[in-house]
């Protein structure tokens, strides 16, 4: 994928920084990121509710901060970079994100990697943190090119700890490459977005600020889709093999039909929290950058299963019931309930195809009319509907 740094990504540095560089907070609009046409025009978003806002989480009863309140960004302009390049390391001023203090650290000559620009996100004042302090954070760091399409981006998900308070890339990019369009008027610009993740181990949860989420969906949609499809297809394959094995299937059918109806009804329902804890454990993988998008997809799919009662008044659902396949699972208070006889649902689940794969692939992180589709209302809604449907199907198969 163009514009992404991948070499030796996700490593901690070995020593503390001792030098600092001039830095400045930029007032540029959010549209300078891999952003949406709506933001550039200053008009409100028209995306459906499950993906558009952070205030629709009706399960959040403890009044904790929402993803938008745990997000922050920083633009660092390093002036007179030609004079700074021989410094061992350069450090931005401190900025806030998610209630914590951060700074960007670079090694112009490389950290354990010669002739490379090494780049890290660091927790400020880590020495004052209490033992046991830790928080997941997803972050994106970019080195800006004069041609935005050629800017270098990289995303990471990391659990920051007192003893592991920095994370980044020893080989973010070759030093020779830095001088090929990345220096403008002897100034190097580095941008960071940081999203602190407020974890919930009991059910899929909203992870990301809505605008940051759209940016990441634009880039990582294909990977998220592969994760969900792989799980669903694997489980469907096992069901298919069971049904094709006449002896085993006949034995199971005889067992099921031999149970009285009250017992079948009891066995066709389960508490949501029992299943959703396992869902989170299965899909939220530490250091896997797409885990947050998968959680958001499963969260949206779960909301679709819960139905319009969970939507705020006056909002349109992401998935119109007329457009959805007949459900396999319904939600009754705090229970998942299979909507039909188990034998019929197992046969249907083994045969019912998933939606066609999305073939458009990753998109550039900047809006560019010559590089893929404009980040407009139609593309946003298409991606959101797709991820919600994938999340819904994944939760249903997990329940079944």
């Amino acid at each position: 994928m163009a514009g992404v740094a991948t070499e030796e990504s996700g490593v901690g540095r070995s020593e503390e920084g001792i030098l600092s560089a001039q830095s400045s907070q930029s007032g540029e609009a959010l549209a300078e990121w891999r952003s949406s046409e709506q933001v550039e025009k200053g008009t409100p978003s028209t995306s459906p509710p499950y993906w558009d806002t952070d205030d629709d989480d009706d399960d959040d009863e403890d009044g904790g901060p929402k993803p938008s309140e745990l997000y922050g960004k920083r633009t660092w302009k390093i002036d007179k970079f030609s004079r700074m390049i021989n410094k061992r390391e350069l450090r931005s001023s401190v900025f806030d994100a998610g209630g914590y203090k951060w700074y960007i650290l670079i090694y112009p000559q490389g950290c354990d990697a010669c002739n490379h620009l090494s780049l890290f996100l660091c927790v400020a004042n880590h020495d004052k943190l209490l033992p046991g302090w830790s928080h997941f954070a997803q972050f994106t760091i970019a080195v800006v090119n004069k041609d935005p399409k050629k800017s270098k981006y990289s995303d990471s998900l990391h659990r920051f700890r007192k003893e592991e308070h920095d994370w980044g890339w020893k080989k973010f990019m070759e030093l020779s490459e830095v001088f090929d369009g990345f220096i403008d008027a002897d100034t190097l610009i580095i941008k960071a977005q940081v999203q602190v993740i407020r974890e919930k181990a009991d059910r899929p949860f909203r992870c990301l600020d809505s605008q940051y989420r759209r940016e990441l969906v634009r880039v990582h949609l294909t990977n998220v889709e592969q994760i969900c499809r792989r799980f669903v297809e694997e489980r469907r394959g096992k069901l298919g093999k069971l049904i094709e094995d006449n002896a085993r299937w006949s034995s199971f059918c005889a067992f099921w039909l031999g149970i009285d109806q009250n017992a079948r009804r009891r066995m066709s329902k389960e508490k949501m929290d029992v299943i959703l804890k396992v869902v989170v454990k299965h899909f939220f993988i530490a250091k896997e950058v797409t885990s947050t998008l998968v959680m958001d997809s499963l969260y949206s799919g779960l909301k679709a299963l819960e139905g319009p009662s969970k939507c705020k008044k006056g909002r349109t659902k992401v998935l119109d019931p007329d457009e959805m396949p007949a459900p396999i699972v319904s939600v009754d208070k705090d229970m998942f309930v299979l909507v039909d006889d188990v034998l019929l649902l197992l046969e249907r689940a083994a045969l019912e195809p998933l939606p066609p794969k999305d073939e458009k692939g990753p998109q550039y992180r900047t809006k560019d009319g010559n590089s893929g589709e404009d980040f407009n209302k139609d593309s946003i809604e298409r991606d959101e509907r797709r991820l919600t449907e994938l999340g819904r199907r994944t939760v249903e198969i997990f329940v079944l």
Side-chain angles (χ1 to χ4, degrees):
M1 178 172 55
V4 177
T6 57
E7 292 189 12
E8 295 201 13
S9 61
V11 294
R13 66 191 178 91
S14 57
E15 300 178 66
E16 284 303 311
I18 55 175
L19 298 174
S20 61
Q22 293 178 335
S23 60
S24 61
Q25 181 67 40
S26 171
E28 287 117 279
L30 185 59
E32 290 202 2
W33 291 96
R34 308 160 287 184
S35 56
S36 80
E37 191 169 331
Q38 285 100 339
V39 172
E40 289 178 354
K41 293 181 178 179
T43 57
S45 170
T46 57
S47 297
Y50 296 147
W51 283 83
D52 184 48
T53 66
D54 298 318
D55 62 0
D56 61 338
D57 189 351
D58 299 319
D59 300 315
D60 191 5
E61 298 176 352
D62 57 4
K66 295 177 173 60
S68 58
E69 299 168 339
L70 298 173
Y71 169 82
K73 57 190 173 74
R74 174 70 168 167
T75 297
W76 178 24
K77 294 183 177 180
I78 307 176
D79 297 321
K80 301 179 181 178
F81 184 74
S82 60
R83 300 183 187 180
M84 300 287 185
I85 196 168
N86 291 322
K87 300 283 188 180
R88 180 174 179 271
E89 53 191 53
L90 305 173
R91 180 185 300 191
S92 76
S93 61
V94 173
F95 65 98
D96 181 83
Y100 302 105
K101 303 296 184 182
W102 311 83
Y103 64 89
I104 307 165
L105 178 71
I106 68 169
Y107 289 77
Q109 298 291 337
C111 174
D112 300 331
C114 295
N115 301 316
H116 281 80
L117 181 71
S118 301
L119 198 156
F120 302 89
L121 178 70
C122 309
V123 180
N125 302 323
H126 64 90
D127 53 326
K128 297 180 181 178
L129 298 173
L130 296 175
W133 180 93
S134 71
H135 271 286
F136 264 115
Q138 183 147 342
F139 62 97
T140 295
I141 291 184
V143 178
V144 180
N145 193 289
K146 287 183 285 187
D147 178 357
K149 193 170 65 176
K150 295 180 180 179
S151 294
K152 283 279 189 177
Y153 295 85
S154 200
D155 310 299
S156 187
L157 175 66
H158 179 63
R159 180 180 285 281
F160 288 86
R161 300 180 176 88
K162 181 178 175 68
E163 63 275 12
E164 195 171 69
H165 56 273
D166 46 46
W167 200 252
W169 299 267
K170 290 184 177 181
K171 292 184 177 181
F172 189 87
M173 60 190 299
E174 292 185 9
L175 191 59
S176 59
E177 193 179 353
V178 175
F179 292 94
D180 185 16
F182 291 87
I183 305 295
D184 187 11
D186 205 17
T187 297
L188 181 68
I189 300 177
I190 298 175
K191 294 187 174 186
Q193 295 180 94
V194 181
Q195 175 75 67
V196 174
I197 307 298
R198 181 170 170 262
E199 301 165 70
K200 287 185 178 180
D202 58 340
R203 58 176 51 214
F205 53 97
R206 172 73 77 228
C207 297
L208 303 168
D209 169 79
S210 58
Q211 186 62 48
Y212 187 32
R213 181 172 64 246
R214 288 177 196 165
E215 177 185 326
L216 293 172
V217 166
R218 187 170 173 81
V219 179
H220 298 292
L221 172 62
T222 302
N223 292 337
V224 175
E225 183 169 16
Q226 287 175 348
I227 290 169
C228 292
R229 295 183 74 94
R230 185 165 56 242
F231 170 80
V232 173
E233 289 171 353
E234 177 189 344
R235 297 301 170 97
R236 289 175 61 229
K238 290 181 178 180
L239 289 176
K241 289 180 180 179
L242 170 64
I243 294 170
E244 291 170 2
D245 188 329
N246 291 331
R248 292 176 64 207
W249 181 242
S250 297
S251 176
F252 178 75
C253 290
F255 158 75
W256 183 254
L257 294 174
I259 299 174
D260 68 79
Q261 289 189 354
N262 289 333
R264 285 190 221 172
R265 280 195 290 268
R266 288 196 300 271
M267 295 176 68
S268 297
K269 63 177 64 176
E270 180 59 273
K271 288 185 177 180
M272 292 176 63
D273 288 347
V274 171
I275 294 177
L276 293 179
K277 284 180 181 178
V278 184
V279 171
V280 173
K281 185 176 181 180
H282 182 90
F283 286 103
F284 194 84
I285 302 171
K287 301 188 186 302
E288 176 53 59
V289 72
T290 53
S291 286
T292 52
L293 291 175
V294 173
M295 280 297 106
D296 270 2
S297 176
L298 295 172
Y299 171 90
S300 298
L302 178 60
K303 289 292 184 183
L305 283 175
E306 290 176 336
S309 63
K310 288 291 184 179
C311 284
K312 301 251 175 154
K313 185 176 180 181
R315 291 185 175 176
T316 305
K317 297 183 294 298
V318 167
L319 296 176
D320 190 317
D322 293 335
E323 299 175 0
M324 292 171 57
I328 289 175
V329 176
S330 65
V331 175
D332 182 12
K333 297 181 180 177
D334 62 345
M335 303 288 288
F336 281 125
V337 182
L338 300 181
V339 300
D340 205 339
D341 183 78
V342 165
L343 299 180
L344 295 175
L345 292 178
L346 290 174
E347 290 179 332
R348 181 184 143 198
L351 298 174
E352 188 173 79
L354 284 167
K357 290 184 179 180
D358 184 3
E359 303 295 343
K360 70 183 178 63
Q363 301 295 301
Y364 288 117
R365 298 180 185 231
T366 53
K367 177 182 175 296
D368 187 320
N370 298 318
S371 58
E373 186 175 40
D374 283 355
F375 203 35
N376 57 25
K377 174 186 173 182
D378 290 341
S379 64
I380 291 171
E381 292 192 359
R382 181 200 60 211
D383 291 347
E384 291 170 355
R385 286 174 178 271
R386 188 171 200 87
L387 285 171
T388 299
E389 173 63 7
L390 285 168
R392 184 186 71 84
R393 295 287 291 276
T394 302
V395 171
E396 281 194 320
I397 291 295
F398 216 116
V399 172
L400 182 59

